[in-house]
């Protein structure tokens, strides 16, 4: 018997039991659908975080006091501007080192007030971070040296305070002190939940006076290339350890962050895929179950086919193809609805679901394999039926 | 329809055929206790006997649906002991046409596709299959019922479809197990008439029945009792080799 013939027979058998075939497929459809969607969501989340990190700029090393880690309380900073000058000497290229001191403060224009993240920084910030301006200018060395009361607004702060009005040259009041707006940043989104469009950048010296503390929160160093990151990181940490014996400094690179987050999100995606895989497996058990019922129900038919000259392997093929057809049709439907679902999620929700070809190929392969695996037992049972006994069955 | 070289061989030749079953309880039952039988090409024989006599077992062996426990069985000149299950399936497909008491048609399949089924397992292309199935249905007077399903046909029509299915592959032998058992007199008569016509065409017909009237239509009666052939009206000269 040829494959085309067996295929035609299987299609016919599935068509005859339309409702049952559909319900059996549903298990596989849901399994494949969830694999495709969950992997898309997981991958999308990973891509989003990675692009956030990459969006900071390239080859950045963040130096902060204390031990950085999830759940660890932040260490009270002992770093000040003298340490920044020290790190600049260590690094060699002063323009590749910048500084941050942060504080949340209200910013007001007339009666409109927004809560913003103040970041005191310096003229080197744009050399290290990727932070395009929409209008105006960056901070200058003179701004920092003379403690000018100037501010660059994040896109969201500017929009809330000024609306459509061009803020350049206008006044804002921060913690009771008047500042002149010299620039507005482009929209950049958020990184690690820090809404960077809600930042207001001031000269670091001005910010320290405003906050009332001579400290800084961290130093950022830009390496000249990806290969430079690790040696530079070690050099900076060693230099700071030498300067402050007994203290602890952490230097986190983007690569480390990407690695850590990639691992976590990769695991998350894996777990999601595994859960979806289990539902696919359950779908497979359903297929097996239905095929067993089908074999039992069609015992007489099997007996007749054997009497008319069907060999064991013709019967085996017939039932196996039926099972595989069930799961692969279910798989294709699952893939189509899964892709549709992922696209829908991407459109209507902030989750940037990203469809991956490997998950589709895997889902399809697994559903076909499920058909073979769970179809073999019933098909073998059918193939082994004794024609005499089968013909007599009721 | 390539046939083996056994054109001259008898349709069935059984020597010392036995068949025992072990029941679930472990009890051994001898259904056949040594049957010697020779049914020639083109014969029309009836195997009769009370229920439990072993006639069904004999029919299963002759139909290659089952294997003897001991003894030799040659079907169309081929010793069934030399064939594996697939070979046996091939022999059934090419040599034997079955007609069952309860018709055994595929319920949701058209008459045409039911009749074409044996040809599927012979690897005959679809178009040829349908053509031959149509011809077979016309031969049994059902040329107007090609697309009907069994449920849309009377019992007599269903049995004629089964008969068409038995002869679509040009078998050497048609084995009919109580072919009229589920039919009324008129339909039974019609089916018997078709079997007789088939036999006149050179195909050996072996009926299994307990109906004396049906059995009387055959030219030879073989009575089975307690697993043995009790009586055989065979005249050696009727076992002449009819050409196919």
């Amino acid at each position: 018997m040829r494959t085309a013939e067996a295929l035609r027979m299987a299609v016919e058998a599935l068509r005859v039991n339309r409702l049952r075939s559909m319900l059996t497929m549903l298990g596989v459809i849901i399994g494949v659908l969830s694999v495709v969607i969950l992997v898309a969501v997981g991958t999308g989340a990973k891509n989003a975080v990675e692009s956030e990190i990459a969006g900071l700029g390239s080859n950045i090393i963040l130096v902060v006091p204390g031990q950085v880690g999830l759940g660890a309380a932040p260490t009270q900073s002992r770093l000040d501007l003298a340490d920044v000058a020290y790190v600049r000497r260590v690094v060699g290229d002063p323009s590749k080192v910048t500084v941050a001191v942060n504080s949340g403060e209200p910013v007001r224009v007339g009666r409109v007030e927004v809560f913003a993240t103040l970041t005191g920084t310096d003229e080197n910030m744009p050399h290290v971070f990727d932070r395009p301006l929409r209008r105006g200018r960056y901070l200058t060395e003179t701004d920092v040296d003379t403690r000018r009361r100037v501010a660059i607004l994040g896109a969201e702060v500017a929009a809330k305070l000024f609306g459509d009005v061009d803020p350049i040259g206008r006044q804002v009041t921060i913690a009771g002190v008047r500042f002149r707006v010299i620039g507005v940043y482009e929209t950049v989104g958020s990184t690690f939940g820090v809404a960077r469009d809600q930042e207001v950048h001031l000269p670091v010296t001005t910010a320290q006076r405003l906050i009332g503390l001579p400290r800084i929160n961290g130093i950022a160093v830009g390496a000249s290339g990806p290969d430079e990151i690790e040696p530079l990181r070690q050099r900076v940490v060693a230099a700071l350890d030498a300067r402050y014996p007994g203290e602890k400094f952490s230097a986190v690179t983007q690569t480390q962050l990407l690695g850590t987050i990639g691992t976590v999100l990769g695991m998350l995606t894996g777990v999601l895929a595994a859960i979806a895989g289990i539902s696919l497996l359950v779908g497979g058990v359903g297929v097996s179950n239905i095929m067993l019922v089908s074999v039992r129900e069609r015992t007489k038919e099997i007996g007749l086919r054997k009497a008319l000259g069907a060999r064991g392997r013709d019967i085996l093929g017939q039932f196996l193809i039926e099972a595989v057809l069930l799961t692969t049709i279910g798989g294709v439907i699952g893939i189509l609805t899964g892709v549709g679902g992922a696209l829908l999620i991407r459109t209507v929700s902030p989750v940037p679901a990203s469809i991956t070809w490997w998950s589709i190929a895997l889902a399809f392969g697994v559903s076909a394999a499920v058909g073979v695996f769970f179809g073999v037992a019933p098909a073998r049972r059918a193939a082994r039926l004794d024609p005499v006994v089968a013909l007599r069955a009721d | 329809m390539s046939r083996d070289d056994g054109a001259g061989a008898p349709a069935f030749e059984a020597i010392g055929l036995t068949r025992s079953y072990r029941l679930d309880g472990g009890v051994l039952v001898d259904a056949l206790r040594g049957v010697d039988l020779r049914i020639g090409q083109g014969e029309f024989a009836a195997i009769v006997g009370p229920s439990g006599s072993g006639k069904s077992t004999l029919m299963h062996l002759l139909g290659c649906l089952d294997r003897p426990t001991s003894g030799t069985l040659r079907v169309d000149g081929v010793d069934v002991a030399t064939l594996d299950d697939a070979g046996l399936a091939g022999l059934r497909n090419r040599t034997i046409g079955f007609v069952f008491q309860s018709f055994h048609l595929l319920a949701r399949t058209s008459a045409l596709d039911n009749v074409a089924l044996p040809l599927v397992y012979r690897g005959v292309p679809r178009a040829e299959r349908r053509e031959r199935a149509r011809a077979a249905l016309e031969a049994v007077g059902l040329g107007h019922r090609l697309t009907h399903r069994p449920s849309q046909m009377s019992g007599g029509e269903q049995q004629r479809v089964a008969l068409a299915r038995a002869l679509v592959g040009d078998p050497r032998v048609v084995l009919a197990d109580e072919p009229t058992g589920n039919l009324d007199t008129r339909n039974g008569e019609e089916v018997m008439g078709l079997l007789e016509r088939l036999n006149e065409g050179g195909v050996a017909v072996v009926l299994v029945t307990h109906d004396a009237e049906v059995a009387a239509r055959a030219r030879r009666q073989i009575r089975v009792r307690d697993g043995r052939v009790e009586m055989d009206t065979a005249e050696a000269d009727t076992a002449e080799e009819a050409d196919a």
Side-chain angles (χ1 to χ4, degrees), chain A residues 259-272:
Chain A
T260 310
I261 285 164
T263 310
V264 170
L265 288 174
M267 272 165 61
L268 185 71
T269 307
V271 169
L272 290 176

Side-chain angles (χ1 to χ4, degrees), chain A residues 189-240:
Chain A
S190 53
T191 309
F192 303 132
V194 176
R196 289 163 69 213
D197 294 326
Q198 287 171 22
E199 285 177 347
V200 173
H201 283 191
L202 313 176
V204 60
T205 46
T206 320
Q208 281 180 332
R209 174 179 282 182
L210 194 73
I211 298 163
L213 272 177
R215 305 296 178 201
I216 58 165
N217 291 90
I219 300 169
V221 182
S224 50
D227 297 338
E228 288 299 308
I229 297 174
E230 191 49 33
L232 192 60
R233 186 186 75 85
Q234 285 171 13
R235 216 158 81 221
V236 170
V237 171
L240 283 169

Side-chain angles (χ1 to χ4, degrees), chain A residues 134-178:
Chain A
R134 183 181 293 165
R135 318 184 65 92
R137 63 168 177 87
Y138 289 111
L139 296 172
T140 62
E141 201 176 343
T142 319
D143 292 333
V144 177
D145 289 348
T146 62
R147 288 199 186 112
R148 275 196 187 132
R149 293 202 293 268
V150 292
I152 307 174
L153 307 183
E156 211 176 306
V157 176
K160 278 184 181 157
L161 290 177
F162 291 100
D164 293 335
V165 181
D166 182 1
I168 304 295
R170 294 182 179 267
Q171 302 279 320
V172 293
T173 309
I174 304 171
V177 180
R178 289 176 158 261

Side-chain angles (χ1 to χ4, degrees), chain A residues 76 95 186 214-215 227 331 356 383 391:
Chain A
Q76 185 59 53
S95 76
E186 285 283 2
R215 305 296 178 201
D227 297 338
T356 47
L391 275 172

Side-chain angles (χ1 to χ4, degrees), chain B residues 2-244:
Chain B
S2 61
R3 282 197 170 137
D4 313 61
D5 295 329
F12 297 112
E13 189 171 25
I15 304 157
L17 215 55
T18 74
R19 180 71 174 96
S20 333
Y21 299 98
R22 193 171 290 280
L23 298 182
D24 286 343
V27 184
L28 208 62
V29 174
D30 296 319
L32 288 183
R33 303 160 187 259
V35 169
D36 297 305
L37 189 65
R38 192 186 146 95
I39 299 176
Q41 302 284 354
E43 268 203 73
F44 192 170
I47 298 174
V48 293
S51 49
S53 59
K55 65 179 192 301
S56 289
T57 305
L58 180 57
M59 138 118 186
H60 290 145
L61 288 179
L62 295 182
C64 303
L65 294 169
D66 195 6
R67 291 171 182 277
T69 307
S70 70
T72 305
L73 174 65
R74 288 193 198 91
V75 176
D76 202 28
V78 180
D79 185 350
V80 297
T82 64
L83 298 175
D84 60 3
D85 284 353
L88 222 49
L91 187 64
R92 284 197 293 271
N93 184 261
R94 274 175 278 108
T95 314
I96 300 163
F98 287 98
V99 178
F100 303 96
Q101 176 173 6
S102 51
F103 322 140
H104 282 317
L105 298 174
L106 299 183
R108 283 146 166 168
T109 306
S110 70
L112 195 71
D113 286 335
N114 261 297
V115 171
L117 197 56
L119 303 179
V120 169
Y121 295 111
R122 204 184 285 187
V124 175
R126 189 171 153 87
E128 187 190 335
R129 247 169 26 219
R130 296 180 77 90
E131 186 47 44
R132 284 173 65 176
R134 199 178 53 73
L137 277 165
E138 278 167 2
V140 298
L142 287 176
H144 59 299
R145 287 276 191 266
L146 301 182
T147 59
H148 285 57
R149 293 182 182 173
S151 59
Q152 298 166 315
M153 288 185 280
S154 72
E157 285 175 322
Q158 289 185 54
Q159 193 60 303
R160 277 148 67 194
V161 172
L163 207 55
R165 182 181 62 195
L167 58 87
V168 73
D170 284 323
R172 281 295 171 92
V173 193
V174 168
L175 273 181
D177 184 6
E178 301 281 9
T180 61
N182 281 4
L183 301 178
D184 60 22
T185 319
R186 193 177 60 80
N187 280 309
E189 181 54 41
E190 197 161 8
V191 166
M192 284 310 295
L194 283 167
L195 283 172
E196 278 166 358
R197 235 173 60 205
L198 194 62
N199 179 243
E200 280 157 20
V203 179
V205 175
V206 178
L207 289 174
V208 176
T209 182
H210 63 264
D211 183 337
E213 211 173 305
V214 170
R217 303 280 290 263
R219 274 177 279 162
R220 174 181 173 189
Q221 280 81 34
I222 301 158
R223 183 174 302 141
V224 180
R225 194 180 196 104
D226 297 331
R228 289 195 179 84
V229 175
E230 190 188 52
M231 188 273 286
D232 189 349
T233 65
E235 307 97 336
D237 50 25
T238 58
E240 69 203 12
E241 272 89 70
D243 46 4

